[in-house]
Every structure is written in C-alpha cells, then in structure tokens.
C-alpha cells in the first residue's frame, strides 16, 4: 500500500464556542439538582526546580467546564441561583505581575470573554463562598485531589456550621463530582471531535517525520526532536512524555529517557501524541531503524497488526468494551503459539494468561482532554457497552525481553501499534489513520 502523500494537519478548527461551555455546565447542573452546589479548583502551579515551574496545564475538569486557562481560580456552579449560577473566582489584574507572567483576564475579563454570570477576585473567596454554601444540601467536589483545597473547603463549610444557631443551614451531603462530570466527558461532541481530529492529525504528521528522522548511528533523542518540531509548528505540546525506544528499550513500557543509540537491525518504538487546545492524541508506531524489518521482526509485527485489526473490528455500538481487549489477546495468543513462543493449547494459554509474559498491558483507554481519559469502563459490574461519541485507543503490543527464555532470534524485540478509534452510529472511525501502518507502507515511507 502506498501511503497517502500528506497527513498535513491543515487549518486548525474553530475554537470551542462559549455556548459549548454553557451547554456543558447546564448539563452538569441538571444532573446535580437544584439544592446542590459544585466547586472546582484550577490546577495548582508545580515547581520543576528551585523557583522555576513546569509549563502550566489547566485541570481537565476545570477546562471542560470553563475554558479558563489561568491558575489560582475556582469555579462555582450554583444551580438556580437568581443572580446567575456560574461564578468564577480568579486573580485580579496586576500590571506589575503581568509584566513578568503575562496577561490575566481579571474578573471583568472573565465575565466578558468566558461567559460566566459573575466573577470575583480570588482574594475574596473566604468572604463569599460560605454564603454560597449556606442553604445548599449537597456539595459536589473532588475530595482528595488537592489537599490544600480540601482544607479550605472544610473551613468554608465550618464557617456555615458555626452559624447554625443564627439560623444558617450548612450542607449535609458531600458527593464525588467526578461521578456526574466524567460521564459527560466520556461522550465527545462534534466540536470536541474537531479538536481531537486536529490533535490526531498533528501527531500523525509528527510520527511520519520521526520515521524519516531515524537512522543507524543516531540516537532516540534525535527522533524525539523531529516530533517536537512538528508539534510546536502546529501550536501543540506533548500530550505525555513521548516514548522513543530503540532495540530492547522498546520492551520498557514507560521508557522516556530517550537517550539510547539507534542500531542497524533493531526496531524503534515511538509512542507519541500531541495535545492541541487541551485535547490529547496518542499514536504508536514501530519501525526498523534501517528501514527494513528482519524476518523475525516482521513476523511479530504482522501478528501485532492482526491483533489490532481484530480489536478495532469490535469497535461498534452495543459491543462490550472488554471485547476489544479479548480480541487482541486471542489473536496474539494464537500467533505466539504458531511461532512457538508459547506452548500448549489456546484454551490453556488464555485461561492461565500465559500471553502476559509478552503482552502485559491492556489494549486501550478512553482518550479526550486526558490521554487516559475519564469515564467508567464497567457499569453495574459488567463491561460497559460502546456507544457513539466514545473515543478510545487500541494498542496491542508484544515485548520479548532481552532475557526471555525463548530462542535468541526473538529476544529484545518490542512492538506496539496504537491508534485512536471513535465509535460512530454504525461502526467506527480511526482518527489516526494517516500514519503508515502495515510493514510495507512503513518501509515505503521511510525509503521515500
Ligand atoms: N502513551 C500512553 C499510552 O499509550 O497509554
Ligand atoms: Mn495509549
Ligand atoms: Mn500511547
């Protein structure tokens, strides 16, 4: 198969409109009910070393409901509140600080730009929040996510409790916000899918560039550099630390040092996704450093590819999510038996999970604002049934450790093939299909 000439990401989609955020907040508030209040904190800034920070990344739940990119902010949803139900606390404008750290929306800008009903300085939250909690029965909140904020919330509730004799009514039920919110996030809207397709297209372009940046005598970090060049050219950042593993490094599932040498005759596994406007992508391809698969590499590669095809074929409405993993495991186990890497009957291999010697992870995960996105995989003790709008990865692999007790020719080969799949009304769409995948297509692309 000749690869498509270009996976260029093309023009970015329109950003999510304010109405999309309003729709999400409305849906959440309706689930939460009239006598509740919902409180979400922005992600804290994190120190990287001494007094320098990691690049700031907003909390995904906060981003989903607000689109607001700044730290030191709190979103409060107060269903049915007469003077507006969507409130934001955020940093005030401060020209001296903005000179160093960049612009801030300030409460005025927050209302104007992001469509909140009202906004207040974060410095005033201790004064205002207890009054908002008062008279509400239920508080929805992410308990245990941020210890400092947990303590603040307890303090605000206690402020109301201290005034019971003055007739104040403190909330008496505390509920996990994720239970409602993550069910909403699991189903991607058309506007979200446009962002996700764009993130996937950028990641696809980066994978193709990485293939062509691979050469014997080079290093894993040079391949990583090719990824970054494409991501940043298209206003994206990595969705997670990229995994670029050559030779036996491909067998280390979370190899992120990416400083090993690229040797003739070895494979390179590249698991790398771009994040665009908060939306993740997640693609893995495994290619030969010198552009041609050996006989053994090809046999294992074709097996992983067949497992992925069988798994993707399960992606349609009404199928249990677990069927995707089961299909991959069955094909891999059959193939490992055929190649002599496992012994015994298929039934025994599946029952005893003997395939785990070479395939020890699950076949995928939901993907969205988080690369390992939120949403339950099981409902009522059963695997959840797939529905249109869900997006997940399908990423089978085989990892034959350098010290595996198998003939030497198989040792030190690690392979994973990963794509993102959207469940549609009548089947699925592979969002990451622009990257060459079958062995011949990869060889042709690398030779190009
Ligand atoms: N790169 C993380 C994953 O594939 O799940
Ligand atoms: Mn993944
Ligand atoms: Mn991945």
């Amino acid at each position: 198969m000749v690869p498509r000439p270009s996976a260029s990401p093309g023009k970015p989609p329109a950003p999510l409109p304010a109405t999309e955020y309003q729709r999400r907040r409305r849906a959440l508030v309706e689930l939460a009910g009239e006598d509740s209040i919902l409180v979400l904190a922005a992600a804290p800034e994190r120190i990287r070393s001494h007094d320098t920070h990691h690049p700031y990344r907003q909390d995904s739940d906060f981003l989903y409901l607000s689109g607001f990119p700044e730290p030191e902010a709190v979103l409060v949803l107060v269903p049915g509140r007469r003077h507006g139900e969507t409130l934001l606390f955020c940093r005030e404008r401060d020209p001296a600080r903005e000179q160093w750290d960049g612009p801030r929306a300030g409460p005025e800008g927050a209302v104007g730009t992001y469509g909140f009903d009202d906004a207040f300085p974060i410095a005033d939250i201790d004064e205002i929040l207890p009054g908002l909690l008062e008279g509400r029965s239920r508080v929805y909140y992410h308990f245990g996510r941020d210890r400092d904020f947990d303590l603040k919330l307890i303090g605000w509730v206690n402020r109301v409790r201290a005034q019971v004799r003055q007739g104040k009514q403190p909330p008496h039920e505390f509920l996990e916000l994720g239970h409602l919110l993550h069910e909403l996030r699991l189903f991607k809207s058309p506007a979200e899918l446009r962002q996700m397709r764009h993130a996937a297209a950028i990641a696809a372009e980066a994978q193709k560039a990485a293939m062509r940046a691979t050469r014997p005598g080079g290093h894993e970090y040079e391949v990583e550099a090719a990824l970054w060049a494409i991501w940043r050219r298209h206003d994206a950042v990595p969705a997670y630390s990229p995994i670029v593993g050559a030779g036996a490094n491909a067998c280390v599932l979370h190899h992120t040092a990416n400083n090993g040498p690229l040797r003739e005759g070895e494979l390179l596994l590249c698991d790398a996704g771009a994040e665009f406007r908060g939306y993740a992508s997640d693609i893995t391809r495994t290619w030969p450093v010198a552009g041609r698969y050996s006989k053994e590499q090809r046999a294992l590669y074709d097996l992983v590819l067949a497992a992925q095809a069988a798994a993707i074929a399960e992606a349609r409405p009404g199928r249990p999510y677990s069927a995707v993993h089961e299909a991959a495991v069955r094909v891999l186990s059959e193939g490992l038996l055929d190649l002599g890497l496992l012994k015994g009957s298929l039934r025994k291999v599946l029952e005893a999970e003997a395939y785990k010697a070479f395939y020890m992870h699950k076949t995928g995960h939901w993907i969205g604002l988080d690369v390992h996105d939120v949403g339950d995989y099981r409902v009522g003790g059963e695997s959840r049934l797939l529905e249109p709008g869900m997006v997940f990865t399908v990423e089978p692999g085989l990892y034959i450790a350098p010290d595996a007790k198998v003939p030497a020719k198989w040792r030190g080969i690690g392979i994973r093939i990963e794509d993102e799949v959207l469940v549609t009304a009548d089947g699925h769409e592979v969002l990451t299909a622009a990257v060459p995948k079958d062995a011949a297509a990869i060889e042709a692309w690398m030779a190009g």
Side-chain angles (χ1 to χ4, degrees), residues 199-205 207 240 270-273 281-285 418-420 432 435:
I202 295 168
E205 186 79 353
Q207 287 277 356
Y240 51 89
C270 179
D271 181 344
S281 56
D282 188 2
I283 304 178
T284 308
R285 291 290 184 268
E418 175 172 28
D419 283 292
E420 293 168 43
T432 46
V435 201

Side-chain angles (χ1 to χ4, degrees), residues 240-243 253-254 271-273 281-284 361-362 364-365 371-372 393 395 416 418:
Y240 51 89
S241 296
I243 297 165
L253 296 179
H254 289 162
D271 181 344
S281 56
D282 188 2
I283 304 178
T284 308
H361 60 76
K362 287 283 189 185
H365 47 83
V371 62
H372 297 165
T393 66
E395 50 179 302
R416 178 162 63 256
E418 175 172 28

Side-chain angles (χ1 to χ4, degrees), residues 168-439:
K168 298 285 168 74
Q169 295 176 46
H172 53 84
E173 279 185 76
F174 296 87
L175 294 138
E176 172 46 38
L177 173 63
H179 186 63
L180 303 182
L181 179 53
H182 295 169
E183 190 65 15
L184 296 178
R185 279 181 52 190
L186 179 55
F187 295 90
K188 275 65 182 178
S189 73
E192 282 188 292
L193 287 171
R194 284 193 283 277
Q195 315 301 321
M196 289 190 70
R197 282 199 177 87
H198 195 66
I202 295 168
E205 186 79 353
Q207 287 277 356
K208 291 174 67 176
M211 286 179 190
R212 287 195 169 166
T214 305
R215 56 178 181 87
H219 289 84
E220 292 165 353
Y221 46 76
E222 294 169 60
V223 178
E224 183 181 344
L227 298 165
W228 280 84
I230 300 290
W231 293 336
R232 295 302 297 136
R233 189 176 301 162
H234 298 287
D235 196 16
V237 293
Y240 51 89
S241 296
I243 297 165
V244 182
N249 284 346
C251 299
V252 179
L253 296 179
H254 289 162
H255 168 79
T256 52
N258 300 349
N259 56 7
L262 308 182
R263 296 192 189 93
E264 177 112 30
E266 292 185 336
L267 294 181
L268 179 129
L269 183 156
C270 179
D271 181 344
E275 179 182 300
F276 178 73
R277 294 191 188 136
Y279 285 90
S281 56
D282 188 2
I283 304 178
T284 308
R285 291 290 184 268
T286 307
W287 58 82
V289 166
R292 303 287 295 185
Y293 294 88
S294 73
K295 187 157 155 277
E296 285 75 26
Q297 290 165 351
R298 178 73 190 254
L300 291 178
Y301 189 87
D302 287 347
L303 176 52
V304 176
L305 190 63
Q308 202 214 26
I312 291 177
E314 296 292 341
R316 57 184 188 276
R319 292 294 293 152
Y321 177 73
S322 58
V324 176
H325 181 59
E326 282 159 17
V329 161
R330 172 172 286 267
V331 172
L332 290 175
S333 297
E334 283 170 351
L336 289 167
L337 285 166
D338 288 346
L339 295 173
L341 282 156
L342 288 177
K343 306 262 182 284
S345 69
L346 178 62
R347 192 174 58 80
K348 284 245 173 68
V349 163
L350 293 175
E351 254 173 37
E353 299 183 335
Y355 56 84
K356 281 192 173 171
F358 307 119
Y359 182 46
M360 57 297 285
H361 60 76
K362 287 283 189 185
T363 302
H365 47 83
W366 309 129
I367 182 167
L369 284 170
D370 289 306
V371 62
H372 297 165
D373 209 27
V374 293
D376 289 333
Y377 291 93
R378 297 176 72 77
V379 176
E382 303 281 333
S383 182
R384 155 167 232 153
L385 302 184
L386 296 175
E387 295 177 57
M390 294 172 166
V391 185
F392 59 91
T393 66
V394 181
E395 50 179 302
L398 285 174
Y399 313 93
I400 320 290
D403 59 353
K405 293 186 180 37
V406 298
K409 63 181 182 178
W410 301 112
R411 290 185 209 141
I413 299 179
I415 295 167
R416 178 162 63 256
I417 305 175
E418 175 172 28
D419 283 292
E420 293 168 43
V421 173
L422 162 69
V423 182
T424 59
D426 52 5
H428 62 254
E429 176 190 335
V430 177
L431 300 183
T432 46
V435 201
K437 184 158 67 171
D438 72 57

Side-chain angles (χ1 to χ4, degrees), residues 80-163:
R81 181 173 173 269
R82 209 147 18 99
H83 304 296
E85 56 184 19
T86 306
L87 311 178
L88 185 81
F89 294 86
C90 65
R91 302 177 303 189
E92 288 192 275
R93 301 289 313 271
D94 178 345
R97 280 314 319 164
E98 289 176 51
Q99 160 105 68
W100 289 85
D101 303 332
R104 301 173 171 190
E108 309 74 26
V111 171
T113 309
Y114 296 92
F116 303 110
D117 294 321
D118 217 342
F120 307 99
I122 188 75
D124 294 348
I125 195 165
D126 289 339
E127 293 310 311
I128 298 173
L129 205 69
L132 296 171
L133 291 169
E134 203 272 316
R136 299 272 153 181
S137 306
R138 293 191 305 285
V139 182
Y140 284 93
Y141 171 70
H142 284 307
F143 292 98
R145 188 179 281 192
D146 177 343
R147 191 177 291 261
D148 293 341
F149 200 79
D150 287 352
L151 291 175
K152 282 189 190 161
L153 187 75
I154 292 167
W156 296 322
V157 172
N158 281 342
R159 288 265 298 275
V160 187
R161 285 178 179 153
Q163 295 177 295

